[in-house]
Amino acid sequence: MTEPARGGAAPTTGILPAALPPTTRPSTALLTDKYELTMLQAALANGTAHRHCVFEVFTRRLPAGRRYGVLAGTGRVLESLPQFRFEDAELTFLEETGVVDSRTIDFLSGYRFTGSIMGYAEGETFFPGSPVLQVEGTFAEAVLLETLILSILNYDSAIASAASRMTSAALGRPCLEMGARRAHEQAAVAAARAAVVAGFAGTSNLEAGYRYGLTTIGTAAHAFTLLHDDELSAFQAQVAALGAGTTLLVDTYDVHQGVIHAVQAGGTGLGAVRLDSGDLGGLAVEVRHQLDELGATGTKITVTSDLDEYAIASLAAVPVDSYGIGTSLVTGSGAPTCGMVYKLVARADSSGVLQPVAKTSPGKPSQGGRKSAARRLGPDGRAIEEVLVSGDDETVARWSPETDDLRPLLVPLVIDGAVDSRWVGPHGVESAARAHQASRAELPRGARRLSAGDPAIPTVQVTLR
Amino acid sequence: MTEPARGGAAPTTGILPAALPPTTRPSTALLTDKYELTMLQAALANGTAHRHCVFEVFTRRLPAGRRYGVLAGTGRVLESLPQFRFEDAELTFLEETGVVDSRTIDFLSGYRFTGSIMGYAEGETFFPGSPVLQVEGTFAEAVLLETLILSILNYDSAIASAASRMTSAALGRPCLEMGARRAHEQAAVAAARAAVVAGFAGTSNLEAGYRYGLTTIGTAAHAFTLLHDDELSAFQAQVAALGAGTTLLVDTYDVHQGVIHAVQAGGTGLGAVRLDSGDLGGLAVEVRHQLDELGATGTKITVTSDLDEYAIASLAAVPVDSYGIGTSLVTGSGAPTCGMVYKLVARADSSGVLQPVAKTSPGKPSQGGRKSAARRLGPDGRAIEEVLVSGDDETVARWSPETDDLRPLLVPLVIDGAVDSRWVGPHGVESAARAHQASRAELPRGARRLSAGDPAIPTVQVTLR
């Protein structure tokens, strides 16, 4: 068998059919459960579609044993809003498959969200019942957004909640996101973003770098070493191409021989070596010793291989310099979704007066009425309670704390359909990362414990008179 | 507060900024770990980029206790290939952020996959070591696809593997996918597709209906009942708009009162009632009895609410007619990713001869060399072994079973860059669903047990002489 002449740069035999369907599309409108549209049809028919409504997003409980949750995805919700449009492709599909009637199709063709959205700042910690998002508008406008909003917040918050435990456990050492291959390809981009919200220093995911300006990292896999006739020539090729500051993966064959080859190829100024298998703790100690003996005292050690927050914590006393984290991050480290729900809490009655509503059958209770929220701080500035404020709707809507010990949590995100651009794009990620750092620092010290326990602070209800 | 005049159909106050970034883009090329590109740069520099290579996708083990895995996502991999292109936006990003050098940028600008891909048919069951995908081409061409291929196969197969246990447990009753809100919004579309591959009857996800022609389902949520002044008027509105064949959600207030209202609104010809909370088994028995007493003997009962394969199995003797499944489906029922890896197993040496390669350090061993695969069947037609065939590369590449007791598993998917269109789009999903049904039926009876255990059949290695 001879080395084939064809290379990617000048393909001669590649004939890919042009008729394949697109894997993604600009409109986000069909990322929606069918029942949102059938409810709309029925509500348009009897006029209730235009009743003013307040929906709230909250979670009934944290994943078992978790001390706090981290809200992420708010910026993505806002980014997806302008594309929540029913264009020809969507309308034709809905018509041809009989999902809804022609009156509803007409309505959808002009659909724009013109309501308002309040919510916790992205990156904020949350607790059971925290109203992390509040959507206000007509039933028609607001109900259609349920599925998309929950998809985004449930996934992104699950990842950020896990990521925050990892950056906590890493005690300041950089955590790097490398989980793209263990998540849906688009979810992976959101996971990288959510990880950075919760303190990760970078990601291997190029699309996340492109979309959100995140720092991208990565050098080589085992395949690169195996591609070459021997390890030393692979390392020499990598250093020649990427410079001596690169990270060499030293565990393809024998780790200690790999370290010798690495310093041979990169010199004592080699950037780093990476360990991706075996007993990482024991190996790291040996490799540190070996690097120092070879004079590569500034060469760092990065470890990867099925790390989670517990593994990271177990490496605290070991001389490693950074953590590459994949599977457990992008799957939420045992809690791959957040359980957030989108509930109608108030709606106008037939005379236009907003009334609190709630499901009352046993099993999944929720409290009716619009809530406001604040975090109560103790004298030392640490959080002691999540305060949910309810009562007369207009009073709650206008409520703000009168005392310094209450930090208000709801901020405006969309006003009459206009998205506040501070929360979107790369800037939104930076703001969220800052918000997370501040919010986590404010929690009681016990909040950072990895062991299972109750939420770090209790949620209390306050009713305004 | 008065009922606002604005409706979605004629927005007057909505000003959404046009400059928000797109939430998805047509190119799939940056859904890739950075190190694929830096390896490419180094391999282009020393010429090894053009070495002919074989990469294999396999999983080292099934999730703990699972009896078999289900391959899904192959069609999506093929659909994403033509869009794996580096256009101006991607190239500018890579250049400006310094990800790779100008030689690599030049190569990427002309990148098309011109190699070949073999694999298990989508929907096929798999076992530890099964080479579910085999990518052959130059190192440059094939290494770039690693991240995207793994993202797709790991997520989709995790979902299909869970879904298959659910459709098994449902014993022929329809399973309906309703998990969009508990997964990343694009992952949700893939999850719906994977669920249907593994026997689900439909999905609530409209985008999945649009892209893959899947049957969509859904009628109303609690919010619709709460929107109305009382339950009966909500039900009447729904029946007026959607017909008496609709499904009424009866657990917003009191279930038994809800059933009375449902039959009052829809008559004895009402399509179905849905239970979404409480003790589903006990409630279903009571509701069946109540419906029959009211004369609605043909009205079906559908249950939803945190169902997984175990809950479904526990309802086998209960009079329910279909299952709506969300969270546990889209999170893989405890196994949210598959652990599939993409390993270089053979590459040309400097004289162009293909040589087997493998990582040899302890921890994550894998076997070098191209594999072929077949399932060995016993006299009753049931599977007894997963046979992996290795040996001289050309012999293995051309191998086909000589005896009837071996069913070959590898089929061509891409030949010299041309995608076999049988595996993509809606038709690909249908083919995959058929393949899954046949493959599962062929497994030993014990494979369907939900309890933890070993893989249903052992994987054995055969070396050709």
Side-chain angles (χ1 to χ4, degrees), chain A residues 1 3 8 16 25 30 33-34 38 51 76 110 151 154 180-181 185 204 207 219 226 251 253 347 352 361 416-417, chain B residues 1 3 8 13 16 25 30 33-34 38 46 51 76 110 151 154 180-181 185 204 207 219 226 251 253 347 352 361 417:
Chain A
M1 189 172 289
E3 195 117 4
L16 291 164
R25 308 181 313 112
L30 294 183
D33 286 324
K34 181 177 182 172
T38 51
R51 288 188 167 191
R76 294 212 306 117
S151 291
N154 270 323
R181 65 192 54 198
E185 68 277 19
S204 63
E207 184 75 16
T219 57
L226 295 172
D251 70 341
Y253 304 114
R347 53 101 182 120
S361 74
D416 294 337
Chain B
M1 189 174 287
E3 195 115 6
T13 58
L16 292 163
R25 309 181 312 111
L30 294 185
D33 286 323
K34 180 177 182 174
T38 50
N46 75 352
R51 288 187 168 192
R76 293 212 308 118
S151 290
N154 270 324
R181 63 193 56 200
E185 69 276 18
S204 62
E207 184 74 17
T219 57
L226 295 173
D251 70 343
Y253 305 114
R347 52 101 184 122
S361 73

Short mmCIF file of all heavy atoms in Angstrom, two decimals, chain A residues 1 3 8 16 25 30 33-34 38 51 76 110 151 154 180-181 185 204 207 219 226 251 253 347 352 361 416-417, chain B residues 1 3 8 13 16 25 30 33-34 38 46 51 76 110 151 154 180-181 185 204 207 219 226 251 253 347 352 361 417:
data_model
loop_
_atom_site.label_atom_id
_atom_site.label_comp_id
_atom_site.label_asym_id
_atom_site.label_seq_id
_atom_site.Cartn_x
_atom_site.Cartn_y
_atom_site.Cartn_z
N MET A 1 0.85 -1.20 0.00
CA MET A 1 0.00 0.00 0.00
C MET A 1 0.88 1.24 0.00
O MET A 1 1.81 1.36 0.78
CB MET A 1 -0.91 0.00 1.24
CG MET A 1 -1.95 1.09 1.19
SD MET A 1 -3.13 0.93 2.55
CE MET A 1 -4.06 -0.53 2.05
N GLU A 3 1.64 5.48 0.04
CA GLU A 3 1.14 6.72 0.66
C GLU A 3 0.27 7.43 -0.37
O GLU A 3 0.73 7.76 -1.47
CB GLU A 3 2.35 7.60 1.04
CG GLU A 3 2.03 8.72 1.99
CD GLU A 3 2.78 8.57 3.33
OE1 GLU A 3 3.59 7.65 3.47
OE2 GLU A 3 2.53 9.38 4.23
N GLY A 8 -6.03 16.93 1.90
CA GLY A 8 -7.23 17.73 2.06
C GLY A 8 -7.20 18.99 1.21
O GLY A 8 -8.23 19.52 0.83
N LEU A 16 -19.48 15.08 -2.38
CA LEU A 16 -20.44 15.04 -1.29
C LEU A 16 -21.77 15.57 -1.82
O LEU A 16 -21.81 16.64 -2.44
CB LEU A 16 -19.95 15.90 -0.13
CG LEU A 16 -18.73 15.34 0.59
CD1 LEU A 16 -18.07 16.40 1.45
CD2 LEU A 16 -19.10 14.15 1.45
N ARG A 25 -30.15 25.44 12.00
CA ARG A 25 -30.83 26.47 11.22
C ARG A 25 -30.89 27.73 12.06
O ARG A 25 -30.87 27.67 13.27
CB ARG A 25 -32.24 26.00 10.88
CG ARG A 25 -32.23 24.62 10.24
CD ARG A 25 -33.59 24.12 9.85
NE ARG A 25 -34.56 24.27 10.88
CZ ARG A 25 -35.59 25.09 10.82
NH1 ARG A 25 -35.79 25.82 9.75
NH2 ARG A 25 -36.44 25.18 11.81
N LEU A 30 -38.71 26.46 16.33
CA LEU A 30 -39.23 25.09 16.43
C LEU A 30 -38.51 24.27 17.50
O LEU A 30 -38.80 23.08 17.66
CB LEU A 30 -39.14 24.38 15.07
CG LEU A 30 -40.03 24.95 13.96
CD1 LEU A 30 -39.91 24.09 12.70
CD2 LEU A 30 -41.50 25.03 14.39
N ASP A 33 -41.75 22.48 22.28
CA ASP A 33 -42.71 21.38 22.38
C ASP A 33 -43.98 21.73 21.64
O ASP A 33 -44.49 22.86 21.76
CB ASP A 33 -43.05 21.11 23.85
CG ASP A 33 -41.93 20.41 24.59
OD1 ASP A 33 -41.25 19.56 23.98
OD2 ASP A 33 -41.73 20.71 25.78
N LYS A 34 -44.51 20.75 20.95
CA LYS A 34 -45.73 20.96 20.18
C LYS A 34 -46.85 21.57 21.02
O LYS A 34 -47.63 22.39 20.55
CB LYS A 34 -46.19 19.62 19.59
CG LYS A 34 -47.43 19.69 18.75
CD LYS A 34 -47.73 18.31 18.18
CE LYS A 34 -48.95 18.30 17.27
NZ LYS A 34 -49.09 16.99 16.60
N THR A 38 -50.25 24.14 20.35
CA THR A 38 -51.66 23.74 20.41
C THR A 38 -52.39 24.50 21.52
O THR A 38 -53.56 24.85 21.36
CB THR A 38 -51.79 22.22 20.60
OG1 THR A 38 -50.99 21.80 21.71
CG2 THR A 38 -51.31 21.47 19.35
N ARG A 51 -54.53 37.36 27.43
CA ARG A 51 -54.47 37.67 28.86
C ARG A 51 -53.03 37.92 29.28
O ARG A 51 -52.11 37.18 28.91
CB ARG A 51 -55.04 36.51 29.69
CG ARG A 51 -56.55 36.41 29.58
CD ARG A 51 -57.12 35.38 30.56
NE ARG A 51 -58.57 35.53 30.63
CZ ARG A 51 -59.33 34.94 31.55
NH1 ARG A 51 -58.79 34.16 32.46
NH2 ARG A 51 -60.63 35.13 31.55
N ARG A 76 -27.55 33.24 26.70
CA ARG A 76 -27.96 32.46 25.53
C ARG A 76 -29.47 32.57 25.28
O ARG A 76 -29.91 32.56 24.13
CB ARG A 76 -27.55 31.00 25.68
CG ARG A 76 -26.05 30.79 25.68
CD ARG A 76 -25.63 29.46 25.07
NE ARG A 76 -26.29 28.32 25.67
CZ ARG A 76 -27.12 27.50 25.01
NH1 ARG A 76 -27.38 27.69 23.74
NH2 ARG A 76 -27.68 26.48 25.64
N GLY A 110 -46.38 36.67 12.52
CA GLY A 110 -46.00 38.00 13.00
C GLY A 110 -45.39 37.97 14.39
O GLY A 110 -45.16 39.03 14.98
N SER A 151 -34.78 24.60 28.12
CA SER A 151 -33.67 23.82 27.55
C SER A 151 -32.34 24.50 27.86
O SER A 151 -31.39 23.87 28.33
CB SER A 151 -33.81 23.71 26.02
OG SER A 151 -34.89 22.90 25.67
N ASN A 154 -31.72 24.87 31.88
CA ASN A 154 -31.50 23.59 32.56
C ASN A 154 -30.15 22.98 32.22
O ASN A 154 -29.46 22.45 33.09
CB ASN A 154 -32.61 22.59 32.20
CG ASN A 154 -33.78 22.66 33.16
OD1 ASN A 154 -33.60 22.86 34.36
ND2 ASN A 154 -34.98 22.49 32.65
N ALA A 180 -15.83 18.40 24.96
CA ALA A 180 -16.66 18.45 23.75
C ALA A 180 -17.06 17.07 23.24
O ALA A 180 -18.21 16.84 22.87
CB ALA A 180 -15.94 19.22 22.64
N ARG A 181 -16.15 16.15 23.26
CA ARG A 181 -16.42 14.82 22.68
C ARG A 181 -17.42 14.00 23.48
O ARG A 181 -17.86 12.96 23.00
CB ARG A 181 -15.11 14.06 22.54
CG ARG A 181 -14.45 13.74 23.86
CD ARG A 181 -13.04 13.27 23.64
NE ARG A 181 -12.32 14.25 22.85
CZ ARG A 181 -11.20 14.00 22.19
NH1 ARG A 181 -10.69 12.78 22.24
NH2 ARG A 181 -10.59 14.94 21.50
N GLU A 185 -22.72 18.05 20.08
CA GLU A 185 -21.73 18.99 19.55
C GLU A 185 -22.10 20.46 19.81
O GLU A 185 -21.22 21.30 19.95
CB GLU A 185 -21.52 18.74 18.05
CG GLU A 185 -22.70 19.07 17.13
CD GLU A 185 -23.75 17.98 17.02
OE1 GLU A 185 -23.80 17.09 17.90
OE2 GLU A 185 -24.54 18.01 16.05
N SER A 204 -11.11 23.70 25.23
CA SER A 204 -10.57 23.14 23.99
C SER A 204 -11.48 23.42 22.80
O SER A 204 -11.10 23.17 21.66
CB SER A 204 -10.40 21.63 24.15
OG SER A 204 -11.66 21.01 24.34
N GLU A 207 -15.34 26.43 18.62
CA GLU A 207 -16.57 27.19 18.37
C GLU A 207 -16.90 28.09 19.56
O GLU A 207 -17.39 29.22 19.38
CB GLU A 207 -17.74 26.22 18.08
CG GLU A 207 -19.04 26.90 17.71
CD GLU A 207 -19.07 27.47 16.28
OE1 GLU A 207 -18.21 27.11 15.46
OE2 GLU A 207 -19.95 28.31 16.02
N THR A 219 -3.00 20.98 22.63
CA THR A 219 -1.80 20.82 21.80
C THR A 219 -1.82 19.52 20.99
O THR A 219 -1.81 19.56 19.77
CB THR A 219 -0.52 20.89 22.65
OG1 THR A 219 -0.59 19.90 23.67
CG2 THR A 219 -0.37 22.27 23.28
N LEU A 226 1.51 8.41 17.98
CA LEU A 226 1.42 7.13 17.26
C LEU A 226 1.62 7.31 15.76
O LEU A 226 2.03 6.39 15.07
CB LEU A 226 0.05 6.47 17.52
CG LEU A 226 -0.21 6.05 18.98
CD1 LEU A 226 -1.67 5.60 19.13
CD2 LEU A 226 0.74 4.93 19.39
N ASP A 251 2.33 10.07 28.03
CA ASP A 251 1.96 8.73 28.50
C ASP A 251 1.52 7.78 27.40
O ASP A 251 0.73 6.87 27.65
CB ASP A 251 0.87 8.83 29.57
CG ASP A 251 -0.45 9.28 29.00
OD1 ASP A 251 -0.45 9.86 27.88
OD2 ASP A 251 -1.49 9.06 29.63
N TYR A 253 3.59 5.70 25.69
CA TYR A 253 4.31 4.44 25.91
C TYR A 253 4.68 4.34 27.40
O TYR A 253 3.85 3.98 28.22
CB TYR A 253 5.53 4.36 24.99
CG TYR A 253 5.18 4.53 23.52
CD1 TYR A 253 5.62 5.64 22.80
CD2 TYR A 253 4.40 3.57 22.85
CE1 TYR A 253 5.30 5.80 21.45
CE2 TYR A 253 4.08 3.73 21.50
CZ TYR A 253 4.53 4.84 20.81
OH TYR A 253 4.21 5.00 19.49
N ARG A 347 -52.04 35.56 36.17
CA ARG A 347 -52.62 35.92 34.87
C ARG A 347 -53.84 36.81 35.09
O ARG A 347 -54.49 36.74 36.13
CB ARG A 347 -52.98 34.67 34.06
CG ARG A 347 -53.85 33.67 34.77
CD ARG A 347 -55.29 33.73 34.38
NE ARG A 347 -56.07 32.78 35.14
CZ ARG A 347 -57.08 33.13 35.93
NH1 ARG A 347 -57.41 34.39 36.07
NH2 ARG A 347 -57.79 32.21 36.58
N GLY A 352 -59.31 41.78 33.51
CA GLY A 352 -57.99 42.35 33.32
C GLY A 352 -57.15 42.47 34.57
O GLY A 352 -56.03 42.98 34.53
N SER A 361 -53.08 20.18 42.95
CA SER A 361 -53.12 18.75 43.22
C SER A 361 -51.81 18.32 43.86
O SER A 361 -50.79 18.97 43.70
CB SER A 361 -53.37 17.97 41.94
OG SER A 361 -52.22 17.95 41.15
N ASP A 416 -39.99 45.42 27.31
CA ASP A 416 -40.88 45.59 26.15
C ASP A 416 -40.22 45.08 24.87
O ASP A 416 -40.23 45.73 23.82
CB ASP A 416 -41.27 47.06 25.99
CG ASP A 416 -42.12 47.54 27.16
OD1 ASP A 416 -42.76 46.70 27.83
OD2 ASP A 416 -42.15 48.77 27.41
N GLY A 417 -39.65 43.89 24.94
CA GLY A 417 -39.09 43.25 23.76
C GLY A 417 -37.65 43.61 23.46
O GLY A 417 -37.02 42.96 22.63
N MET B 1 -54.85 46.84 36.89
CA MET B 1 -54.07 46.54 35.67
C MET B 1 -55.01 46.06 34.57
O MET B 1 -55.85 45.21 34.79
CB MET B 1 -53.04 45.45 35.98
CG MET B 1 -52.05 45.22 34.86
SD MET B 1 -50.75 44.06 35.34
CE MET B 1 -49.77 45.07 36.46
N GLU B 3 -55.98 44.57 30.68
CA GLU B 3 -55.50 43.60 29.68
C GLU B 3 -54.76 44.39 28.59
O GLU B 3 -55.33 45.27 27.95
CB GLU B 3 -56.72 42.87 29.08
CG GLU B 3 -56.40 41.63 28.31
CD GLU B 3 -56.99 40.38 28.99
OE1 GLU B 3 -57.72 40.52 29.97
OE2 GLU B 3 -56.68 39.27 28.51
N GLY B 8 -48.88 39.22 20.05
CA GLY B 8 -47.71 38.85 19.25
C GLY B 8 -47.88 39.20 17.79
O GLY B 8 -46.91 39.43 17.07
N THR B 13 -44.01 47.63 20.32
CA THR B 13 -42.94 48.14 21.16
C THR B 13 -41.67 47.31 21.07
O THR B 13 -40.69 47.60 21.72
CB THR B 13 -43.39 48.16 22.63
OG1 THR B 13 -43.74 46.82 22.99
CG2 THR B 13 -44.56 49.07 22.84
N LEU B 16 -35.68 44.62 19.08
CA LEU B 16 -34.64 43.66 19.41
C LEU B 16 -33.39 44.03 18.62
O LEU B 16 -33.46 44.25 17.42
CB LEU B 16 -35.10 42.25 19.05
CG LEU B 16 -36.24 41.72 19.92
CD1 LEU B 16 -36.90 40.53 19.29
CD2 LEU B 16 -35.71 41.36 21.30
N ARG B 25 -24.55 28.11 13.54
CA ARG B 25 -24.01 28.51 12.25
C ARG B 25 -23.95 27.30 11.36
O ARG B 25 -23.88 26.17 11.85
CB ARG B 25 -22.62 29.09 12.45
CG ARG B 25 -22.60 30.19 13.52
CD ARG B 25 -21.25 30.82 13.74
NE ARG B 25 -20.20 29.86 13.88
CZ ARG B 25 -19.25 29.68 12.99
NH1 ARG B 25 -19.21 30.40 11.90
NH2 ARG B 25 -18.32 28.77 13.19
N LEU B 30 -15.76 24.19 13.37
CA LEU B 30 -15.16 24.60 14.65
C LEU B 30 -15.74 23.86 15.85
O LEU B 30 -15.36 24.13 17.00
CB LEU B 30 -15.32 26.12 14.85
CG LEU B 30 -14.55 27.02 13.86
CD1 LEU B 30 -14.71 28.49 14.25
CD2 LEU B 30 -13.08 26.66 13.78
N ASP B 33 -12.05 20.19 18.93
CA ASP B 33 -11.02 20.55 19.92
C ASP B 33 -9.83 21.19 19.22
O ASP B 33 -9.38 20.72 18.18
CB ASP B 33 -10.55 19.29 20.65
CG ASP B 33 -11.56 18.79 21.65
OD1 ASP B 33 -12.22 19.61 22.30
OD2 ASP B 33 -11.69 17.55 21.79
N LYS B 34 -9.29 22.21 19.86
CA LYS B 34 -8.16 22.94 19.29
C LYS B 34 -7.02 22.00 18.92
O LYS B 34 -6.34 22.19 17.91
CB LYS B 34 -7.67 23.98 20.30
CG LYS B 34 -6.50 24.82 19.84
CD LYS B 34 -6.18 25.86 20.91
CE LYS B 34 -5.04 26.77 20.51
NZ LYS B 34 -4.87 27.85 21.50
N THR B 38 -3.84 21.90 16.02
CA THR B 38 -2.41 22.08 16.29
C THR B 38 -1.63 20.81 15.91
O THR B 38 -0.50 20.90 15.42
CB THR B 38 -2.17 22.44 17.78
OG1 THR B 38 -2.88 21.53 18.61
CG2 THR B 38 -2.68 23.86 18.08
N ASN B 46 6.04 18.49 9.02
CA ASN B 46 7.05 17.44 8.77
C ASN B 46 6.55 16.36 7.81
O ASN B 46 7.19 15.33 7.64
CB ASN B 46 7.55 16.83 10.09
CG ASN B 46 6.54 15.88 10.73
OD1 ASN B 46 5.39 15.77 10.29
ND2 ASN B 46 6.96 15.21 11.78
N ARG B 51 0.26 10.87 5.79
CA ARG B 51 0.29 9.42 6.00
C ARG B 51 -1.13 8.86 6.03
O ARG B 51 -2.01 9.41 6.68
CB ARG B 51 1.00 9.10 7.33
CG ARG B 51 2.50 9.32 7.27
CD ARG B 51 3.18 8.81 8.54
NE ARG B 51 4.63 8.80 8.30
CZ ARG B 51 5.51 8.21 9.10
NH1 ARG B 51 5.10 7.59 10.21
NH2 ARG B 51 6.80 8.22 8.82
N ARG B 76 -26.41 11.47 11.55
CA ARG B 76 -26.06 12.86 11.84
C ARG B 76 -24.59 13.16 11.53
O ARG B 76 -24.25 14.26 11.10
CB ARG B 76 -26.39 13.21 13.29
CG ARG B 76 -27.88 13.23 13.60
CD ARG B 76 -28.24 14.24 14.68
NE ARG B 76 -27.47 14.13 15.89
CZ ARG B 76 -26.66 15.09 16.36
NH1 ARG B 76 -26.50 16.22 15.70
NH2 ARG B 76 -26.01 14.90 17.49
N GLY B 110 -9.04 24.59 1.91
CA GLY B 110 -9.46 23.65 0.86
C GLY B 110 -9.95 22.33 1.41
O GLY B 110 -10.20 21.39 0.66
N SER B 151 -18.62 13.61 19.55
CA SER B 151 -19.72 14.36 20.16
C SER B 151 -21.06 13.76 19.74
O SER B 151 -21.93 13.50 20.57
CB SER B 151 -19.69 15.83 19.72
OG SER B 151 -18.60 16.52 20.28
N ASN B 154 -21.37 9.84 20.85
CA ASN B 154 -21.47 9.65 22.30
C ASN B 154 -22.81 10.11 22.85
O ASN B 154 -23.39 9.44 23.70
CB ASN B 154 -20.33 10.40 23.01
CG ASN B 154 -19.10 9.54 23.19
OD1 ASN B 154 -19.20 8.34 23.42
ND2 ASN B 154 -17.93 10.14 23.06
N ALA B 180 -37.38 17.70 25.76
CA ALA B 180 -36.65 18.86 25.22
C ALA B 180 -36.21 19.84 26.30
O ALA B 180 -35.09 20.33 26.29
CB ALA B 180 -37.49 19.58 24.18
N ARG B 181 -37.08 20.11 27.26
CA ARG B 181 -36.77 21.13 28.26
C ARG B 181 -35.68 20.73 29.22
O ARG B 181 -35.21 21.55 30.00
CB ARG B 181 -38.03 21.47 29.04
CG ARG B 181 -38.57 20.29 29.84
CD ARG B 181 -39.96 20.60 30.33
NE ARG B 181 -40.82 20.94 29.20
CZ ARG B 181 -41.95 21.60 29.31
NH1 ARG B 181 -42.37 21.97 30.49
NH2 ARG B 181 -42.67 21.86 28.25
N GLU B 185 -30.91 22.77 23.85
CA GLU B 185 -31.97 22.87 22.86
C GLU B 185 -31.67 22.13 21.54
O GLU B 185 -32.59 21.62 20.90
CB GLU B 185 -32.30 24.34 22.59
CG GLU B 185 -31.22 25.15 21.87
CD GLU B 185 -30.12 25.72 22.76
OE1 GLU B 185 -29.96 25.23 23.89
OE2 GLU B 185 -29.40 26.63 22.30
N SER B 204 -42.35 15.31 21.27
CA SER B 204 -42.97 16.63 21.40
C SER B 204 -42.17 17.70 20.67
O SER B 204 -42.62 18.83 20.54
CB SER B 204 -43.04 17.01 22.89
OG SER B 204 -41.74 17.09 23.44
N GLU B 207 -38.83 20.75 16.09
CA GLU B 207 -37.67 20.79 15.19
C GLU B 207 -37.29 19.38 14.74
O GLU B 207 -36.89 19.18 13.59
CB GLU B 207 -36.49 21.47 15.90
CG GLU B 207 -35.25 21.66 15.04
CD GLU B 207 -35.36 22.77 14.00
OE1 GLU B 207 -36.26 23.63 14.12
OE2 GLU B 207 -34.56 22.77 13.05
N THR B 219 -50.52 18.26 23.58
CA THR B 219 -51.76 19.02 23.54
C THR B 219 -51.74 20.23 24.47
O THR B 219 -51.87 21.36 24.02
CB THR B 219 -52.97 18.13 23.87
OG1 THR B 219 -52.77 17.53 25.16
CG2 THR B 219 -53.14 17.05 22.82
N LEU B 226 -54.65 26.76 34.09
CA LEU B 226 -54.53 27.89 35.02
C LEU B 226 -54.86 29.22 34.36
O LEU B 226 -55.29 30.17 35.02
CB LEU B 226 -53.12 27.95 35.61
CG LEU B 226 -52.71 26.77 36.49
CD1 LEU B 226 -51.23 26.87 36.86
CD2 LEU B 226 -53.57 26.71 37.76
N ASP B 251 -54.75 16.73 36.11
CA ASP B 251 -54.25 16.80 37.49
C ASP B 251 -53.84 18.19 37.96
O ASP B 251 -52.99 18.33 38.83
CB ASP B 251 -53.09 15.82 37.69
CG ASP B 251 -51.85 16.28 36.93
OD1 ASP B 251 -51.98 17.13 36.03
OD2 ASP B 251 -50.76 15.78 37.25
N TYR B 253 -55.94 20.41 39.48
CA TYR B 253 -56.56 20.60 40.79
C TYR B 253 -56.81 19.22 41.42
O TYR B 253 -55.91 18.64 41.99
CB TYR B 253 -57.85 21.42 40.64
CG TYR B 253 -57.62 22.76 39.94
CD1 TYR B 253 -58.18 23.01 38.68
CD2 TYR B 253 -56.84 23.75 40.53
CE1 TYR B 253 -57.96 24.24 38.05
CE2 TYR B 253 -56.62 24.97 39.90
CZ TYR B 253 -57.19 25.21 38.66
OH TYR B 253 -56.97 26.41 38.03
N ARG B 347 -1.39 3.20 10.71
CA ARG B 347 -0.95 4.33 9.88
C ARG B 347 0.24 3.88 9.04
O ARG B 347 0.97 2.97 9.39
CB ARG B 347 -0.61 5.54 10.73
CG ARG B 347 0.35 5.29 11.86
CD ARG B 347 1.77 5.74 11.56
NE ARG B 347 2.65 5.40 12.66
CZ ARG B 347 3.74 4.62 12.50
NH1 ARG B 347 4.04 4.08 11.33
NH2 ARG B 347 4.51 4.37 13.55
N GLY B 352 5.26 3.90 3.37
CA GLY B 352 3.89 3.81 2.88
C GLY B 352 3.16 2.53 3.27
O GLY B 352 2.02 2.33 2.88
N SER B 361 1.06 2.36 27.35
CA SER B 361 1.20 2.61 28.79
C SER B 361 -0.03 2.08 29.52
O SER B 361 -1.11 1.96 28.94
CB SER B 361 1.38 4.11 29.06
OG SER B 361 0.17 4.78 28.86
N GLY B 417 -15.09 10.06 0.04
CA GLY B 417 -15.71 11.37 0.28
C GLY B 417 -17.19 11.45 -0.06
O GLY B 417 -17.85 12.42 0.29
#
